[in-house]
Amino acid sequence: MTFTLDESIDASSANRVDAADEHPLVAQVRDFAYDTLATRALQTDREGVTTDTVEELRRLGLLNHLAPARFGGAELDKAAERRVHEHLAYGDFNTWLAWAQHTGLIVHFTTLANTGKPIGEVGERVLHGEILSGTAISDARHYPTRYVRADPADGGWTITGTVSWVSGWGINTLLSVAAIDPTTETQLLALIPADDKRLRAEPLGLVAATGSRTWRVTFEGTFVAESNIIKRTPRSEWNHRDQNIVSDVRPQVFGVARAILGELHASGTDAAVAVAQAWEPQFARYRALAYSLTDRAESDPKGLQYFEDRLALKVEVLRSLHEIARALTISRAGSGILDTNTAALHARSAQFLQVQSQNEHSRAAQLAHIAAAAHH
């Protein structure tokens, strides 16, 4: 897989993301991320995202930022949403991760509301920004070897199995769970209260994103009423949609990169500043190309999806993110590996991004890239 970084890159998508800072909500998020989240990021990494932080996100309007105005939402467009993701990941990756799980449910209920379809009580609460939801879908990428199973039951479905990763545990009110009916190869999106007595959760000993409250959750014959199955998708269709997520360089990557480059600039040493100056133009080109490729694919769903190009870019960007995180650690001398140093925090965030939204294809691409580097 190869891609070319040249002067012909269409930067219009990235420019729209930059311009989104003029939106009042985006500007408020930027200030909150810089002035509040970033100043307590090390504490959050140690102690976890708190309910107070969730309340701050709610007051800002970030629990329904994509919802229609009639629900009190900001109706942010794609560019503004990307900028919000960048700002939150810049300020505190743990808070970003716990919050980002919620956005998919906002999109789902917004789509229903805009088409005039019923959204139910849960949909109302989501679109009014009253609750923070979590997402339990990662194991669907491992079907049929590992997945959460859905079996028909009287009036609904029985959900059985373990989800390896659920972020935001303890601050989420609701989980959206991807469960698969193997008899029809259909994937269901089920809504399950986080306090349901028929599920069991246990903390994970993560070495990265340790403050994101990421737990393993097991469903032990959990009953879900038919009315709480909010989406059905053939597995083949879901796999294609998921490939977009797996292949893309997402905005959070650029938020973390900006935080690292900013700290290199602020180091006060010529060598560290030189690293930032060398890499800033490269990350600007990465960002422009990533957003451009994604938008070109979305503009013509039946046309070229550029999956290979997007994945090749993702592999290269994650390698580069590791490089600048390493530079920041080096610039801090011995203190860079202390858990009280932001260099260590950013290095762990970069490590987490190496494995987030990964399937067998993306994992193989990253490993092949590393193997090839041995011969250069």
Side-chain angles (χ1 to χ4, degrees), residues 84 142 152 170 211 222 268 353 365:
V84 167
H142 297 273
T222 304
L353 287 165

Side-chain angles (χ1 to χ4, degrees), residues 13-174:
S13 293
N15 291 340
R16 284 192 291 271
V17 175
D18 291 332
D21 276 336
E22 299 299 318
H23 190 288
L25 175 57
V26 178
Q28 291 176 39
V29 172
R30 178 192 60 212
D31 293 344
F32 174 65
Y34 283 47
D35 301 336
T36 302
L37 289 182
T39 61
R40 65 188 189 209
L42 285 166
Q43 178 183 355
T44 301
D45 196 53
R46 290 191 300 270
E47 301 175 7
V49 180
T50 66
T51 54
D52 287 343
T53 298
V54 175
E55 184 58 34
E56 290 172 320
L57 296 172
R58 178 183 290 108
R59 287 198 298 266
L60 275 173
L62 284 180
L63 298 191
N64 65 338
H65 61 300
L66 303 175
R70 65 183 181 276
F71 294 96
E75 294 185 305
L76 293 189
D77 63 16
K78 184 195 306 180
E81 184 191 13
R82 281 171 170 162
R83 196 59 165 162
V84 167
H85 280 264
E86 288 183 358
H87 285 325
L88 289 182
Y90 170 97
D92 176 28
F93 187 76
N94 285 290
T95 297
W96 170 82
L97 181 58
W99 166 82
Q101 311 303 303
H102 175 67
T103 58
L105 211 54
I106 305 176
V107 171
H108 172 76
F109 283 119
T110 294
T111 300
L112 290 182
N114 285 339
T115 54
K117 295 179 180 178
I119 60 174
E121 179 184 355
V122 171
E124 290 276 350
R125 295 187 69 194
V126 169
L127 293 187
H128 278 105
E130 295 176 7
I131 61 174
L132 179 73
S133 64
T135 301
I137 67 168
S138 59
D139 290 81
R141 295 188 175 108
H142 297 273
Y143 178 82
T145 58
R146 186 178 83 233
Y147 66 101
V148 175
R149 182 183 177 103
D151 291 299
D154 188 22
W157 298 79
T158 299
I159 308 299
T160 307
T162 297
V163 176
S164 300
W165 319 93
V166 174
S167 297
W169 187 258
I171 56 175
N172 291 327
T173 301
L174 186 72

Side-chain angles (χ1 to χ4, degrees), residues 56-361:
E56 290 172 320
L57 296 172
R58 178 183 290 108
R59 287 198 298 266
L60 275 173
L62 284 180
L63 298 191
N64 65 338
H65 61 300
L66 303 175
R70 65 183 181 276
F71 294 96
E75 294 185 305
L76 293 189
D77 63 16
K78 184 195 306 180
E81 184 191 13
R82 281 171 170 162
R83 196 59 165 162
V84 167
H85 280 264
E86 288 183 358
H87 285 325
L88 289 182
Y90 170 97
D92 176 28
F93 187 76
N94 285 290
T95 297
W96 170 82
L97 181 58
W99 166 82
Q101 311 303 303
H102 175 67
T103 58
L105 211 54
I106 305 176
V107 171
H108 172 76
F109 283 119
T110 294
T111 300
L112 290 182
N114 285 339
T115 54
K117 295 179 180 178
I119 60 174
E121 179 184 355
V122 171
E124 290 276 350
R125 295 187 69 194
V126 169
L127 293 187
H128 278 105
E130 295 176 7
I131 61 174
L132 179 73
S133 64
T135 301
I137 67 168
S138 59
D139 290 81
R141 295 188 175 108
H142 297 273
Y143 178 82
T145 58
R146 186 178 83 233
Y147 66 101
V148 175
R149 182 183 177 103
D151 291 299
D154 188 22
W157 298 79
T158 299
I159 308 299
T160 307
T162 297
V163 176
S164 300
W165 319 93
V166 174
S167 297
W169 187 258
I171 56 175
N172 291 327
T173 301
L174 186 72
L175 297 181
S176 54
V177 182
I180 299 170
D181 175 5
T183 63
T184 62
E185 294 280 311
T186 301
Q187 187 157 305
L188 312 178
L189 189 63
L191 298 183
I192 300 177
D195 61 358
D196 193 297
K197 302 301 182 184
R198 294 156 297 185
L199 59 81
R200 174 170 46 85
E202 56 182 321
L204 293 170
L206 300 182
V207 297
T210 53
S212 62
R213 294 181 174 271
T214 299
W215 288 41
R216 177 179 290 118
V217 177
T218 297
F219 304 95
E220 300 174 326
T222 304
F223 177 76
V224 179
E226 185 65 40
S227 59
N228 283 329
I229 302 297
I230 62 171
K231 194 173 185 179
R232 287 174 169 78
T233 309
R235 278 292 300 173
S236 57
E237 180 181 330
W238 185 88
N239 283 334
H240 181 79
R241 291 179 183 174
D242 188 57
Q243 192 62 39
N244 283 293
I245 296 174
V246 169
S247 301
D248 266 344
V249 190
R250 314 291 278 185
Q252 63 268 23
V253 175
F254 300 113
V256 173
R258 184 153 48 91
I260 294 170
L261 292 169
E263 292 200 24
L264 284 166
H265 262 299
S267 67
T269 66
D270 291 344
V273 171
V275 173
Q277 291 175 337
W279 278 99
E280 277 175 332
Q282 189 79 331
F283 271 94
R285 290 191 289 270
Y286 287 154
R287 181 172 175 261
L289 183 55
Y291 291 158
S292 175
L293 283 172
T294 300
D295 289 349
R296 284 162 61 189
E298 289 182 359
S299 68
D300 183 10
K302 295 183 179 180
L304 292 174
Q305 296 299 296
Y306 311 104
F307 285 141
E308 293 302 311
D309 289 339
R310 290 154 70 184
L311 183 55
L313 177 62
K314 180 177 182 177
V315 171
E316 178 64 20
V317 172
L318 291 176
R319 182 197 66 79
S320 300
L321 185 68
H322 174 76
E323 288 294 312
I324 61 172
R326 186 163 66 96
L328 184 61
T329 301
I330 293 168
S331 74
R332 298 284 169 82
S335 65
I337 59 172
L338 296 178
D339 64 1
T340 55
N341 195 292
T342 52
L345 175 63
H346 295 320
R348 292 194 298 272
S349 298
Q351 183 180 17
F352 187 92
L353 287 165
Q354 298 283 341
V355 299
Q356 187 188 26
S357 299
Q358 185 186 90
N359 64 9
E360 183 177 346
H361 186 52

